[in-house]
Short mmCIF file of all heavy atoms in Angstrom, two decimals:
data_model
loop_
_atom_site.label_atom_id
_atom_site.label_comp_id
_atom_site.label_asym_id
_atom_site.label_seq_id
_atom_site.Cartn_x
_atom_site.Cartn_y
_atom_site.Cartn_z
N GLY A 1 26.87 -1.13 -20.39
CA GLY A 1 27.85 -0.30 -21.09
C GLY A 1 29.26 -0.56 -20.60
O GLY A 1 30.22 -0.55 -21.39
N PHE A 2 29.40 -0.84 -19.29
CA PHE A 2 30.72 -1.16 -18.74
C PHE A 2 31.17 -2.57 -19.13
O PHE A 2 32.35 -2.83 -19.34
CB PHE A 2 30.70 -1.02 -17.21
CG PHE A 2 30.83 0.39 -16.74
CD1 PHE A 2 29.77 1.02 -16.10
CD2 PHE A 2 32.01 1.10 -16.93
CE1 PHE A 2 29.88 2.33 -15.66
CE2 PHE A 2 32.14 2.42 -16.49
CZ PHE A 2 31.07 3.04 -15.86
N VAL A 3 30.22 -3.52 -19.19
CA VAL A 3 30.56 -4.89 -19.55
C VAL A 3 31.10 -4.96 -20.98
O VAL A 3 32.06 -5.69 -21.28
CB VAL A 3 29.35 -5.83 -19.39
CG1 VAL A 3 29.66 -7.22 -19.90
CG2 VAL A 3 28.92 -5.89 -17.92
N ARG A 4 30.47 -4.20 -21.88
CA ARG A 4 30.92 -4.07 -23.27
C ARG A 4 31.00 -5.40 -24.00
O ARG A 4 31.88 -5.64 -24.84
CB ARG A 4 32.27 -3.35 -23.34
CG ARG A 4 32.27 -1.95 -22.76
CD ARG A 4 33.56 -1.22 -23.02
NE ARG A 4 33.72 -0.98 -24.45
CZ ARG A 4 33.11 0.00 -25.13
NH1 ARG A 4 32.29 0.84 -24.49
NH2 ARG A 4 33.30 0.15 -26.42
N ASN A 5 30.09 -6.30 -23.66
CA ASN A 5 29.98 -7.57 -24.35
C ASN A 5 28.50 -7.96 -24.34
O ASN A 5 27.96 -8.33 -23.30
CB ASN A 5 30.82 -8.64 -23.65
CG ASN A 5 30.79 -9.98 -24.38
OD1 ASN A 5 29.73 -10.53 -24.65
ND2 ASN A 5 31.98 -10.51 -24.67
N GLU A 6 27.86 -7.85 -25.49
CA GLU A 6 26.42 -8.03 -25.55
C GLU A 6 25.97 -9.42 -25.11
O GLU A 6 24.97 -9.57 -24.41
CB GLU A 6 25.92 -7.75 -26.98
CG GLU A 6 26.06 -6.28 -27.38
CD GLU A 6 25.84 -6.09 -28.86
OE1 GLU A 6 24.70 -6.28 -29.31
OE2 GLU A 6 26.80 -5.76 -29.57
N GLN A 7 26.73 -10.44 -25.52
CA GLN A 7 26.36 -11.79 -25.14
C GLN A 7 26.47 -11.99 -23.64
O GLN A 7 25.57 -12.54 -23.00
CB GLN A 7 27.26 -12.79 -25.87
CG GLN A 7 26.89 -14.25 -25.59
CD GLN A 7 27.73 -15.20 -26.41
OE1 GLN A 7 28.59 -14.79 -27.17
NE2 GLN A 7 27.47 -16.49 -26.25
N LYS A 8 27.57 -11.52 -23.06
CA LYS A 8 27.76 -11.64 -21.62
C LYS A 8 26.74 -10.81 -20.87
O LYS A 8 26.19 -11.25 -19.84
CB LYS A 8 29.18 -11.22 -21.25
CG LYS A 8 29.53 -11.42 -19.78
CD LYS A 8 30.97 -11.04 -19.51
CE LYS A 8 31.32 -11.26 -18.04
NZ LYS A 8 32.75 -10.88 -17.77
N SER A 9 26.46 -9.60 -21.34
CA SER A 9 25.48 -8.73 -20.68
C SER A 9 24.10 -9.36 -20.67
O SER A 9 23.40 -9.35 -19.66
CB SER A 9 25.43 -7.37 -21.38
OG SER A 9 26.63 -6.66 -21.22
N LYS A 10 23.72 -9.93 -21.82
CA LYS A 10 22.40 -10.55 -21.90
C LYS A 10 22.30 -11.73 -20.95
O LYS A 10 21.29 -11.91 -20.26
CB LYS A 10 22.11 -10.99 -23.33
CG LYS A 10 20.73 -11.64 -23.49
CD LYS A 10 20.45 -12.01 -24.93
CE LYS A 10 19.12 -12.75 -25.05
NZ LYS A 10 18.84 -13.15 -26.44
N ALA A 11 23.38 -12.54 -20.87
CA ALA A 11 23.37 -13.68 -19.96
C ALA A 11 23.25 -13.22 -18.51
O ALA A 11 22.48 -13.79 -17.72
CB ALA A 11 24.64 -14.50 -20.15
N ILE A 12 23.98 -12.18 -18.14
CA ILE A 12 23.90 -11.63 -16.78
C ILE A 12 22.49 -11.17 -16.47
O ILE A 12 21.93 -11.45 -15.40
CB ILE A 12 24.91 -10.48 -16.61
CG1 ILE A 12 26.35 -10.99 -16.66
CG2 ILE A 12 24.65 -9.72 -15.30
CD1 ILE A 12 27.38 -9.89 -16.68
N MET A 13 21.89 -10.44 -17.42
CA MET A 13 20.55 -9.90 -17.20
C MET A 13 19.51 -11.02 -17.11
O MET A 13 18.56 -10.93 -16.32
CB MET A 13 20.19 -8.93 -18.31
CG MET A 13 21.09 -7.70 -18.40
SD MET A 13 21.17 -6.76 -16.86
CE MET A 13 19.49 -6.21 -16.72
N LEU A 14 19.68 -12.07 -17.90
CA LEU A 14 18.74 -13.20 -17.83
C LEU A 14 18.84 -13.89 -16.47
O LEU A 14 17.82 -14.23 -15.86
CB LEU A 14 19.03 -14.18 -18.96
CG LEU A 14 18.60 -13.74 -20.37
CD1 LEU A 14 19.15 -14.69 -21.42
CD2 LEU A 14 17.08 -13.67 -20.47
N TYR A 15 20.07 -14.13 -16.00
CA TYR A 15 20.25 -14.72 -14.68
C TYR A 15 19.62 -13.82 -13.60
O TYR A 15 18.96 -14.29 -12.67
CB TYR A 15 21.73 -14.92 -14.37
CG TYR A 15 22.33 -16.16 -14.98
CD1 TYR A 15 23.47 -16.09 -15.78
CD2 TYR A 15 21.78 -17.43 -14.74
CE1 TYR A 15 24.03 -17.24 -16.34
CE2 TYR A 15 22.33 -18.57 -15.29
CZ TYR A 15 23.46 -18.48 -16.08
OH TYR A 15 24.02 -19.61 -16.63
N ALA A 16 19.85 -12.52 -13.72
CA ALA A 16 19.32 -11.57 -12.73
C ALA A 16 17.80 -11.56 -12.75
O ALA A 16 17.15 -11.50 -11.69
CB ALA A 16 19.87 -10.17 -13.00
N ASN A 17 17.19 -11.60 -13.95
CA ASN A 17 15.74 -11.65 -14.06
C ASN A 17 15.19 -12.90 -13.38
O ASN A 17 14.22 -12.82 -12.61
CB ASN A 17 15.31 -11.63 -15.53
CG ASN A 17 15.10 -10.23 -16.08
OD1 ASN A 17 14.08 -9.60 -15.81
ND2 ASN A 17 16.06 -9.74 -16.83
N ALA A 18 15.78 -14.05 -13.66
CA ALA A 18 15.32 -15.31 -13.07
C ALA A 18 15.46 -15.27 -11.55
O ALA A 18 14.55 -15.69 -10.82
CB ALA A 18 16.10 -16.48 -13.66
N ALA A 19 16.60 -14.76 -11.07
CA ALA A 19 16.81 -14.68 -9.62
C ALA A 19 15.81 -13.75 -8.96
O ALA A 19 15.28 -14.05 -7.87
CB ALA A 19 18.24 -14.21 -9.34
N ALA A 20 15.53 -12.62 -9.59
CA ALA A 20 14.58 -11.65 -9.02
C ALA A 20 13.18 -12.24 -8.96
O ALA A 20 12.45 -12.05 -7.98
CB ALA A 20 14.59 -10.37 -9.84
N ILE A 21 12.79 -12.96 -10.01
CA ILE A 21 11.46 -13.59 -10.02
C ILE A 21 11.35 -14.63 -8.91
O ILE A 21 10.34 -14.70 -8.19
CB ILE A 21 11.17 -14.22 -11.39
CG1 ILE A 21 11.01 -13.14 -12.46
CG2 ILE A 21 9.91 -15.09 -11.33
CD1 ILE A 21 10.89 -13.67 -13.87
N MET A 22 12.40 -15.45 -8.75
CA MET A 22 12.38 -16.45 -7.68
C MET A 22 12.31 -15.78 -6.31
O MET A 22 11.60 -16.25 -5.42
CB MET A 22 13.61 -17.35 -7.79
CG MET A 22 13.68 -18.18 -9.06
SD MET A 22 12.20 -19.19 -9.32
CE MET A 22 12.27 -20.27 -7.89
N ALA A 23 13.05 -14.69 -6.14
CA ALA A 23 13.00 -13.95 -4.87
C ALA A 23 11.60 -13.41 -4.63
O ALA A 23 11.09 -13.46 -3.49
CB ALA A 23 14.03 -12.81 -4.90
N LEU A 24 10.97 -12.89 -5.66
CA LEU A 24 9.60 -12.38 -5.53
C LEU A 24 8.64 -13.49 -5.11
O LEU A 24 7.78 -13.28 -4.24
CB LEU A 24 9.15 -11.76 -6.86
CG LEU A 24 7.71 -11.26 -6.93
CD1 LEU A 24 7.44 -10.19 -5.88
CD2 LEU A 24 7.40 -10.72 -8.33
N LEU A 25 8.79 -14.66 -5.71
CA LEU A 25 7.92 -15.79 -5.35
C LEU A 25 8.10 -16.19 -3.90
O LEU A 25 7.12 -16.46 -3.18
CB LEU A 25 8.21 -16.98 -6.27
CG LEU A 25 7.78 -16.83 -7.74
CD1 LEU A 25 8.28 -18.00 -8.57
CD2 LEU A 25 6.26 -16.72 -7.84
N VAL A 26 9.34 -16.23 -3.44
CA VAL A 26 9.62 -16.59 -2.05
C VAL A 26 9.02 -15.55 -1.10
O VAL A 26 8.36 -15.89 -0.10
CB VAL A 26 11.13 -16.74 -1.81
CG1 VAL A 26 11.44 -16.88 -0.33
CG2 VAL A 26 11.68 -17.95 -2.58
N ILE A 27 9.25 -14.28 -1.40
CA ILE A 27 8.73 -13.20 -0.54
C ILE A 27 7.22 -13.21 -0.51
O ILE A 27 6.60 -13.07 0.57
CB ILE A 27 9.25 -11.84 -1.05
CG1 ILE A 27 10.76 -11.74 -0.83
CG2 ILE A 27 8.54 -10.69 -0.35
CD1 ILE A 27 11.40 -10.55 -1.52
N HIS A 28 6.59 -13.41 -1.66
CA HIS A 28 5.12 -13.46 -1.72
C HIS A 28 4.60 -14.64 -0.90
O HIS A 28 3.61 -14.51 -0.15
CB HIS A 28 4.67 -13.57 -3.18
CG HIS A 28 3.21 -13.33 -3.40
ND1 HIS A 28 2.28 -14.35 -3.38
CD2 HIS A 28 2.50 -12.19 -3.63
CE1 HIS A 28 1.08 -13.86 -3.60
NE2 HIS A 28 1.18 -12.54 -3.76
N GLY A 29 5.27 -15.78 -1.02
CA GLY A 29 4.84 -16.95 -0.27
C GLY A 29 5.02 -16.79 1.23
O GLY A 29 4.15 -17.17 2.03
N LEU A 30 6.15 -16.21 1.65
CA LEU A 30 6.40 -16.00 3.07
C LEU A 30 5.41 -15.02 3.68
O LEU A 30 4.97 -15.18 4.83
CB LEU A 30 7.83 -15.49 3.28
CG LEU A 30 8.95 -16.51 3.03
CD1 LEU A 30 10.31 -15.84 3.15
CD2 LEU A 30 8.85 -17.68 4.00
N ARG A 31 5.04 -14.01 2.92
CA ARG A 31 4.14 -12.99 3.47
C ARG A 31 2.70 -13.48 3.52
O ARG A 31 1.98 -13.22 4.51
CB ARG A 31 4.22 -11.70 2.65
CG ARG A 31 3.32 -10.63 3.24
CD ARG A 31 3.38 -9.31 2.54
NE ARG A 31 2.47 -8.38 3.19
CZ ARG A 31 2.08 -7.23 2.67
NH1 ARG A 31 2.56 -6.83 1.51
NH2 ARG A 31 1.24 -6.45 3.32
N PHE A 32 2.26 -14.19 2.50
CA PHE A 32 0.83 -14.51 2.41
C PHE A 32 0.52 -15.98 2.66
O PHE A 32 -0.66 -16.35 2.69
CB PHE A 32 0.29 -14.08 1.05
CG PHE A 32 0.37 -12.60 0.81
CD1 PHE A 32 1.21 -12.07 -0.16
CD2 PHE A 32 -0.38 -11.73 1.57
CE1 PHE A 32 1.30 -10.71 -0.38
CE2 PHE A 32 -0.30 -10.35 1.36
CZ PHE A 32 0.53 -9.84 0.39
N GLY A 33 1.53 -16.82 2.82
CA GLY A 33 1.29 -18.22 3.18
C GLY A 33 0.42 -18.96 2.18
O GLY A 33 0.64 -18.89 0.96
N ASP A 34 -0.60 -19.66 2.70
CA ASP A 34 -1.47 -20.47 1.84
C ASP A 34 -2.20 -19.62 0.81
O ASP A 34 -2.58 -20.13 -0.26
CB ASP A 34 -2.49 -21.23 2.69
CG ASP A 34 -1.82 -22.31 3.54
OD1 ASP A 34 -0.69 -22.69 3.21
OD2 ASP A 34 -2.45 -22.75 4.53
N ASN A 35 -2.44 -18.34 1.11
CA ASN A 35 -3.14 -17.47 0.15
C ASN A 35 -2.35 -17.27 -1.13
O ASN A 35 -2.92 -16.94 -2.17
CB ASN A 35 -3.43 -16.11 0.79
CG ASN A 35 -4.49 -16.19 1.87
OD1 ASN A 35 -5.52 -16.83 1.70
ND2 ASN A 35 -4.22 -15.58 3.01
#
C-alpha cells in the first residue's frame, strides 16, 4: 500500500519469496545435514 505501484510491489514480493525459500533451504540443510 505504501509502495503504490503494483508492478514494483509484485517484483519486490517475488524477490522476497525467492530469497526466503533459499534461506529456508540453507537453514534446513545446515540443521539436518545429509538427511
Side-chain angles (χ1 to χ4, degrees):
F2 280 112
V3 174
R4 300 188 66 80
N5 183 306
E6 292 168 68
Q7 184 175 1
K8 185 177 181 180
S9 293
K10 181 178 176 181
I12 292 172
M13 298 304 296
L14 286 170
Y15 279 126
N17 271 283
I21 292 173
M22 296 305 297
L24 176 59
L25 290 173
V26 171
I27 292 169
H28 193 269
L30 289 175
R31 182 177 179 194
F32 297 113
D34 292 341
N35 290 315

